[in-house]
Structures are given as structure tokens and as C-alpha cells.
Amino acid sequence: MSESLPQTRRQTSTPGRAGLGHPLLQLVLVRIREFAREPEAVFWAIFFPILLTVGLGVAFRNRPAEVLPVVTSSSTLASALRQDPALDVTELAADAAADLLSSGKVVLLVEPSADGSVVYRYDDTNPEGRTARLLADRAIQRAAGRADPVPFSDRLVREAGSRYIDFVVPGLVGLGIMSNTLWGLGFSIVDSRRRKLIKRLMATPMSRTDYLLSHLFWRMMVLVVEVGVPVGFGVLAFGVPVRGRLLDLVVLCVLASLAFSAMGLLCASRARTIEGVSGLINLAQVPMWILSGVFFTSERFPDAAQPFIRALPLTALIDALRAHMLWGASLPQLAPQLGTLGAWLVVCFALALKLFRWR
Amino acid sequence: MSEIETTSALRVRNLRKSFQEVIAVDGIDLEVRAGECFGLLGPNGAGKTTTVEICEGLTEPDAGEVEVLGRRWASDADALRQRLGIQLQETQLSDKLTVVETLNLFRSFFGQGPTPGEVIALVQLEEKRHAKVVTLSGGQKQRLALACSLVGDPDLLFLDEPTTGLDPQARRQVWDLIEEFRRAGRTILLTTHYMEEAERLCDRVAIMDHGRVIARGSPRELIEDLDRQGKPLTELRARTATLEDVFVSLTGHHLRDE
Ligand SMILES: Nc1ncnc2c1ncn2[C@@H]1O[C@H](COP(=O)(O)OP(=O)(O)OP(=O)(O)O)[C@@H](O)[C@H]1O
Ligand SMILES: [Mg+2]
């Protein structure tokens, strides 16, 4: 019946796709153009991780071993204490010395007694106080003639891989992948829905799968920047190690990007407003910000919470990144984390497909 | 032989659609013949957009049948999409893309059709080819939206208020495009609030109000009916009746905005 429609004159019509390639290619190009033409988005994706890395790197840079402030009212004791370079010794009258301790400006007060013994005053719940007491006692006993029965020597270990900056860079990379992906996808999709652009596209022969896939592919391309910039910066500026194979790192990050993209699609699957999707994204992110060990190890949380924390995708990603970068773990060793990420990918994508509001 | 009258591009029977408590479409029958330009008229909220979007397969009807180019949405959606051109009443295309990039995207979905350059020439946006959508004027955006509906070389074109917000030149230019398209043997279903537009472009129109069709026929027939009833004209001017008079006489003088 359709063939029987009168067709008197055709306007110019080229068969095929007019040299434009597969629709998925055009959709991905659109995603990239929209992203690249949003200066703020590019700024946050590139400079934010650098700023954060620099900030934390400076704040937690490795200082020469800590010098502990102590005070005493006796000049004999003071000269004994000064034998240990790890102690910063102040000599003051007894009252003023006690004030210094109670105000927390020194961690240990060494008082001479009339009978020749020594009293150490310090807070035993403060590790610095305890350390200062041990050092002070050793210095005083040695000055009084004690000899160490066992000879010893110190060998100092300050290797790359065990510093705070080494710990925090993988955390920041994971955090960056998560928040850039969720916000990027959430805003892009909800904005299109708000403009009725999704509905307009659904009025063409566009395939829904191509539409969703274009978002996943776009995020994978941004991933090069999201991972490359903070890792590259960490390596160059702070000597952060990347001990695992590069290919393994790529596989891990791609899987993580897919998992968070699926989560982003899910957050954006129904929302009609930016406010709506922002709420959902925050709801998804905040537990991971707190629990997943970005800035300090998640092992500090109670044992009962550990199974839940391990199941979060950001925990899996950050644990795997640390294992890869710091200890050179290979993919088979990362299987539990990869499994967790894969499960999030499958569940979120299936739900998003089912729930997605195509208009 | 016997099929001369039955070649219809669109057939709608007993269509119904409600949104919560609002009955948007209340039992509509329509037939658009292949090769004609059909106008759907009616005051704000009459149910035109709802009807058109059901025909476009974008909205599920509560009841009724829709047959487009002899096919059904339930079974032939993919094939139908390739042959329809659609302009929605309100779509904001992506601000950050240029005109040609937008058309590249839409053209890539279709298996045939003019090149993006050719449609740009058709809607006379050559000068704006590389301009971002955000920088276009309202009328230029409207023409870009029309261009997007033409990239697949459609057999049936749905235009929901294609000339709203256009200046007189741009409106005439869109009229020329629609006439050209019809002369090429294609079918058009359009909605409009401009009676002179319907009078000039449409072979037949249906006037809707409160979700029902209250009059249908060619503009000429409707005007003649009105003349026969001898109803007063909208303005105190010695002239013959227009479609506008028909419209106002049927739908009344009061405003329709919720
Ligand atoms: N998604 C929706 N949810 C709730 N009500 C709706 C929805 N879409 C349309 N309506 C209602 O259905 C009725 C018909 O709306 P429709 O958009 O079809 O009118 P229209 O004839 O196109 O009007 P206009 O000339 O203003 O474009 C209106 O009362 C409108 O408020
Ligand atoms: Mg409308």
C-alpha cells in the first residue's frame, strides 16, 4: 500500500547516510562537541584534580622527622635533653613551664625533684607525649652514664609508595571518575529531556541503544583526561609510583567508567529537572565520599560496616587503583574489585534501560 | 481499480486520550489522503498537539486506532520512522551545536534523503551554516527545526505550528516550502492558528475544540456553509467571509487558556 503512494517528483535525495557514517558516530561527536564547548566542564575535569593534588601534596608533604617540643626548669636536665636532636628543648621557670604544658605548646614537662629523681609530666594518650618521654628519659639516663648493652644502628626508609601523597592520588583519581561521570551524564541527559530533545530524537529512526551507548563512549574518551591528568601530574610532580601494567590500569578505568556511567544513566533515567537529578546524584555519591577511603583508609570504619563498604563501586575502584599503582597488582589479583564494578555496571544499566523516560 | 478513494496516508478512528482529569482527545476520526495538505485547527488546548503526537507514535492513546501509511505503530515502528518527517511544537535543539552539525546528526539516522547542505539551502540558512544554534533568531531556529524534519525525504510530514513566531517573509518562505513539498506528491498534516495560512495551504481542514472535531471540509466548503447560515462576520467590513470567520463563529470569542 505504501508503494502505491503517488510520487510525482522527488526532491534531491541521496540514498544511504550521505557520507556521515553510523549514527552512533554522529551521536558521540555531538556528546564530545557539547562537552568541549562547555568551558566550565572542561575546567573541572582537568584542573580540579590538579588543584586538589597540589593542595594535598603541599599540606601532607613529608617533612624532616618531627621535632618534639619539651620544657624543663633545670639547666642540667636541659643540657642532657639537648643531646637528642629530635627534642626541641625550652628552659623556663617552673610556673611558666607548667603553663606551657597545659596550653599544649609542649608535649612533655621534665621536672627535677629534690631527691635527684626526675618527674615526667605528659599526656599518655598523645603519641607525641609518649615518644617525647622515651627520648627524654634515654637522653637523661645516657647523660648520667648509662651505656646501651646492645649495639644498634638506624636505617631510614622514606620510599615512594608509602607516603600520604601516594595514598591519596589513587583516591582522587577514583573520586574524579565517579563525580565527573555522574554529573556529566546526569546533566547532559536531563537537560536534553527538559528541552524535549530526547522526544524529538525519538521521533527519528534513532536507536535507543545508540543513544545510551553514545553517552558511555563519550565518558570513555573523557576518561583519558580524567585519569591521565591526575596520574601524570602525580608521577611528574611527586614521583607517585605506577607499578602495575599500563594496560591493566586502562582496563580497570574503562570498567569503572562504564559502571559509573550506568549509575549516571540510572540517576538520570526519570528526572525531568536538574534539581531532581542533582538530589539523586548526591544521594548516590555522599556515602562513597565518606566511606570509600578517598582521603583515609576505609579500614578505620567498624568491622560490621566493612562488607557494605567493600560492596560500594568507589571502594572497589580505589582499592584496585591503590593495589595496582602502589603494589603492582595485576588484573587477576584485582578480580574481586573488577567483579564488584561489573556487577554495578550490569545492574544499573539494566535498571536504567527499564526505567528510562524517553520523552 | 476500486482503491482510488482509499489511498490514505493517515487514518485515525475513535481516538481517545486523557491526562489525569483532562480529556485531551475525546473520540476523533480523521483521514488524511495521500498527497494532500491537511490542516488541524482549533483554539489553545483543543487537543491538536496530543492528536498529532499520537499519530507520530510518540504518545500512547487510551483507545482508538491509528494507521499511518498503511502501517501500525505496534508492528512497524522502525519502518515508519524512516518515512515520516516530524516537527514538534516545542523542541530546543542543542545550543552548542552548529546548524550543519545538527543536521548531520539528524541526517545520519535516515537511510535516504537530501544532504545536510541541500536542506540548509532549502530553508535558506546558508549564511548560518556554521553558526551555533544558540545564536540563531527565533525564526531561524524554527526553520532549522523544519530542516530537521525534511532530512529523511519523508513521505508524510507532521508540522505542529510550523510558522508560529515567524516574520511575514519567513512565513511565506515556509509556505513555499510546504507547497513545493506537496507538489512533489507528499502528504502534510499541519496545525496552525493562522486561518489565512490554512486557507492558502490546506486542501482540507478539521476544526477541533475540547478534544472533538466540530467541523471538517475544504476551507471553501466551510466558508460557503457559513455564508449560507448568514452569520455576522467578525469585523464590520464589507467583504466576503474568510476561514477566520468560520473559526470564530464555531469556537466563540472567549479565550482558551486553561
Ligand atoms: N502531558 C500532559 N499532561 C497533562 N495535560 C496535558 C498534557 N498534554 C496536554 N495536556 C492537556 O490536554 C489538553 C490538550 O492539549 P494540546 O497540547 O493537545 O492542545 P493544543 O490544541 O495543541 O493547544 P495549543 O494550540 O495551545 O498548542 C490541554 O488541556 C492540555 O492542558
Ligand atoms: Mg499544540
Side-chain angles (χ1 to χ4, degrees):
Chain A
M1 134 122 238
S2 50
E3 270 57 52
S4 69
L5 290 172
Q7 295 182 349
T8 48
R9 186 163 68 89
R10 286 260 161 190
Q11 285 164 333
T12 52
S13 176
T14 322
R17 298 214 163 88
L20 294 166
H22 194 275
L24 184 54
L25 173 68
Q26 288 295 328
L27 281 164
V28 173
L29 282 175
V30 165
R31 299 276 90 78
I32 292 171
R33 284 171 179 145
E34 285 179 338
F35 176 72
R37 290 171 193 173
E38 180 106 70
E40 295 93 331
V42 177
F43 174 83
W44 290 118
I46 296 179
F47 291 102
F48 188 65
I50 293 189
L51 288 179
L52 211 53
T53 314
V54 172
L56 291 168
V58 169
F60 293 94
R61 72 185 181 281
N62 280 47
R63 280 166 288 224
E66 205 76 41
V67 175
L68 300 170
V70 302
V71 67
T72 179
S73 55
S74 143
S75 56
T76 343
L77 287 176
S79 59
L81 292 169
R82 286 200 179 97
Q83 296 307 307
D84 193 321
L87 295 175
D88 174 18
V89 185
T90 315
E91 202 185 320
L92 275 181
D95 290 352
D99 286 349
L100 222 52
L101 178 70
S102 55
S103 64
K105 293 199 178 85
V106 296
V107 295
L108 174 74
L109 167 57
V110 185
E111 285 176 325
S113 286
D115 63 357
S117 67
V118 174
V119 178
Y120 298 115
R121 279 176 45 187
Y122 63 102
D123 174 359
D124 71 336
T125 64
N126 176 0
E128 293 194 339
R130 291 203 303 271
T131 310
R133 180 211 171 284
L134 291 174
L135 294 178
D137 189 51
R138 186 180 69 177
I140 290 167
Q141 304 295 351
R142 279 183 184 168
R146 184 182 79 184
D148 293 317
V150 181
F152 64 87
S153 63
D154 293 327
R155 200 157 293 149
L156 301 178
V157 186
R158 283 186 206 157
E159 250 184 279
S162 56
R163 304 159 305 171
Y164 183 70
I165 190 76
D166 304 316
F167 177 84
V168 85
V169 164
L172 292 177
V173 171
L175 185 67
I177 294 178
M178 173 177 79
S179 54
N180 287 327
T181 307
L182 292 183
W183 290 117
L185 274 186
F187 279 1
S188 155
I189 287 177
V190 173
D191 189 53
S192 301
R193 187 177 290 125
R194 202 175 49 76
R195 295 162 164 271
K196 309 230 170 158
L197 195 52
I198 295 185
K199 184 177 177 181
R200 178 64 188 86
L201 291 172
M202 290 314 292
T204 71
M206 181 190 75
S207 105
R208 296 174 181 207
T209 317
D210 284 353
Y211 182 77
L212 295 182
L213 280 180
S214 73
H215 286 89
L216 301 192
F217 284 151
W218 156 51
R219 292 315 311 183
M220 271 194 243
M221 294 186 186
V222 180
L223 197 63
V224 178
V225 178
E226 267 164 13
V227 177
V229 169
V231 170
F233 184 78
V235 169
L236 295 178
F238 294 102
V240 172
V242 181
R243 297 196 170 121
R245 288 168 54 209
L246 202 58
L247 185 64
D248 292 358
L249 183 65
V250 172
V251 171
L252 171 63
C253 290
V254 165
L255 181 64
S257 166
L258 290 172
F260 285 113
S261 294
M263 191 182 256
L265 289 179
L266 183 59
C267 289
S269 61
R270 306 290 303 165
R272 289 184 204 273
T273 60
I274 297 290
E275 290 78 8
V277 75
S278 303
L280 284 174
I281 289 175
N282 277 324
L283 192 69
Q285 281 203 101
V286 167
M288 291 192 263
W289 264 91
I290 299 170
L291 299 173
S292 289
V294 177
F295 299 104
F296 55 87
T297 170
S298 54
E299 275 148 26
R300 287 198 196 172
F301 290 102
D303 286 348
Q306 290 300 327
F308 171 73
I309 295 174
R310 298 290 127 206
L312 294 171
L314 186 60
T315 317
L317 172 58
I318 292 178
D319 285 356
L321 281 171
R322 285 194 183 124
H324 175 280
M325 290 170 63
L326 307 185
W327 311 311
S330 62
L331 285 184
Q333 294 168 292
L334 301 176
Q337 287 87 2
L338 296 174
T340 306
L341 289 170
W344 279 94
L345 164 61
V346 171
V347 171
C348 289
F349 197 76
L351 276 176
L353 254 179
K354 213 172 172 59
L355 295 175
F356 205 86
R357 197 195 292 277
W358 289 101
R359 50 173 303 152
Chain B
M1 290 276 163
S2 58
E3 279 199 72
I4 295 163
E5 261 304 297
T6 63
T7 320
S8 56
L10 174 69
R11 207 182 277 146
V12 168
R13 258 175 254 120
N14 196 26
L15 206 62
R16 288 174 196 281
K17 177 73 185 179
S18 312
F19 297 102
Q20 291 96 44
E21 72 283 2
V22 187
I23 301 173
V25 178
D26 191 8
I28 277 191
D29 297 297
L30 283 179
E31 200 210 344
V32 178
R33 296 176 196 143
E36 79 172 339
C37 177
F38 189 95
L40 206 51
L41 315 179
N44 291 139
K48 303 181 297 294
T49 297
T50 310
T51 305
V52 170
E53 288 186 357
I54 292 172
C55 296
E56 291 164 345
L58 294 173
T59 303
E60 255 326 283
D62 296 339
E65 284 174 32
V66 179
E67 203 181 278
V68 189
L69 299 173
R71 296 165 192 254
R72 309 257 163 170
W73 281 110
S75 50
D76 287 321
D78 290 346
L80 271 176
R81 291 257 168 257
Q82 284 288 343
R83 307 192 49 207
L84 303 184
I86 291 175
Q87 180 180 8
L88 300 177
Q89 184 172 353
E90 37 167 357
T91 297
Q92 295 167 272
L93 295 164
S94 185
D95 278 343
K96 294 183 202 82
L97 299 184
T98 67
V99 167
V100 65
E101 286 164 356
T102 304
L103 288 166
N104 282 348
L105 175 69
F106 279 84
R107 178 63 182 83
S108 76
F109 300 137
F110 292 89
Q112 76 289 317
T115 63
E118 286 163 349
V119 243
I120 288 175
L122 215 56
V123 298
Q124 296 181 22
L125 280 175
E126 288 106 326
E127 276 173 37
K128 297 289 177 181
R129 189 186 167 93
H130 295 294
K132 302 246 173 72
V133 170
V134 70
T135 66
L136 299 183
S137 75
Q140 289 163 343
K141 281 183 187 150
Q142 193 89 340
R143 279 185 276 156
L144 176 58
L146 186 63
C148 289
S149 73
L150 292 172
V151 286
D153 192 27
D155 291 322
L156 172 56
L157 190 57
F158 291 98
L159 302 174
D160 200 351
E161 302 196 17
T163 62
T164 299
L166 295 188
D167 68 28
Q169 283 83 3
R171 171 168 300 151
R172 270 166 187 73
Q173 190 203 324
V174 170
W175 289 353
D176 288 345
L177 265 168
I178 294 174
E179 282 172 341
E180 161 90 350
F181 188 80
R182 201 186 78 85
R183 253 182 275 120
R186 315 311 166 72
T187 312
I188 299 135
L189 172 62
L190 62 81
T191 76
T192 181
H193 289 293
Y194 303 106
M195 295 305 130
E196 53 165 336
E197 178 170 306
E199 225 176 311
R200 165 157 176 190
L201 293 177
C202 297
D203 302 294
R204 295 187 308 137
V205 300
I207 300 181
M208 285 184 73
D209 200 5
H210 300 299
R212 296 167 184 274
V213 174
I214 54 173
R216 65 178 88 216
S218 71
R220 182 111 321 274
E221 284 162 9
L222 292 176
I223 292 166
E224 282 166 6
D225 283 353
L226 185 73
D227 278 341
R228 265 198 296 282
Q229 293 161 19
K231 290 223 178 126
L233 302 181
T234 43
E235 282 160 49
L236 293 174
R237 247 194 285 152
R239 61 179 171 94
T240 54
T242 63
L243 194 58
E244 184 121 10
D245 300 313
V246 176
F247 185 82
V248 173
S249 121
L250 285 169
T251 60
H253 285 273
H254 53 283
L255 278 180
R256 306 295 178 82
D257 245 347
E258 306 310 317

